Amino acid sequence: DAVWGGMRRKAGLTTVPPHNAYRACVKALRKNELVGFMLDQNRPASQGVFVDFFGRPASTSPGLAFMSAQTGAPVIPVFMHRTPEGRHVLEALPAIEPPPDRKEETILAFTARYTKAIEDAVRQYPAQWLWLHKRWKSQPVPAAAKAD
């Protein structure tokens, strides 16, 4: 973590602590700054929405879609991959316009759309997806258990 933090500072990047980061991100967007968001992280079931990721339900933060809807900032999927020559290529996909509202079904649909962009990028360069945690750790509560 210290190494990553040092590299970010050296590059002139500011990091936001993971807890209570929403306000800091909204503030940065309102100042017309860029905000990076790592969406391929497991969320506890109570904090995420379940969207398809490689054919399995993955608990994913709805925060990116909610923030985009609130601020009007588009989401630009960005990925980096290494070439066989050892160079790095940064690829920015076309902007995804903000959700039109913050209704639950809209936020779910946009979160699924962003997640699909990640899945497509991983499928294109599967050996380059660095993943150090259990992405599918949280699972939906079965319908029968919800009724109890």
Side-chain angles (χ1 to χ4, degrees):
D1 193 44
V3 171
W4 284 110
M7 289 175 21
R8 289 178 181 128
R9 283 188 296 281
K10 186 176 178 182
L13 299 175
T14 302
T15 58
V16 176
H19 298 293
N20 302 314
Y22 189 86
R23 285 185 186 191
C25 291
V26 168
K27 185 177 179 181
L29 289 171
R30 290 203 170 125
K31 292 192 307 188
N32 208 28
E33 296 176 349
L34 298 175
V35 173
F37 204 102
M38 303 294 278
L39 199 63
D40 65 338
Q41 306 296 305
N42 178 70
R43 297 301 305 150
S46 63
Q47 298 174 10
V49 294
F50 285 93
V51 296
D52 181 81
F53 190 51
F54 289 99
R56 296 175 61 192
S59 183
T60 306
S61 173
L64 180 59
F66 198 85
M67 189 180 309
S68 178
Q70 179 181 348
T71 64
V75 170
I76 302 171
V78 177
F79 305 97
M80 185 178 289
H81 68 273
R82 187 183 336 233
T83 67
E85 299 80 31
R87 299 191 60 123
H88 290 86
V89 175
L90 183 71
E91 180 180 7
L93 301 180
I96 300 172
E97 292 303 315
D101 56 60
R102 291 182 274 181
K103 294 178 182 172
E104 188 175 331
E105 61 271 13
T106 303
I107 297 303
L108 179 65
F110 274 74
T111 301
R113 187 173 175 188
Y114 308 149
T115 302
K116 178 71 166 91
I118 295 169
E119 182 178 326
D120 291 346
V122 172
R123 285 184 188 281
Q124 191 172 3
Y125 301 100
Q128 297 187 31
W129 185 36
L130 178 61
W131 188 49
L132 302 172
H133 70 287
K134 295 180 180 180
R135 180 63 184 98
W136 293 274
K137 181 179 178 180
S138 300
Q139 288 297 298
V141 176
K146 287 181 185 177
D148 292 342

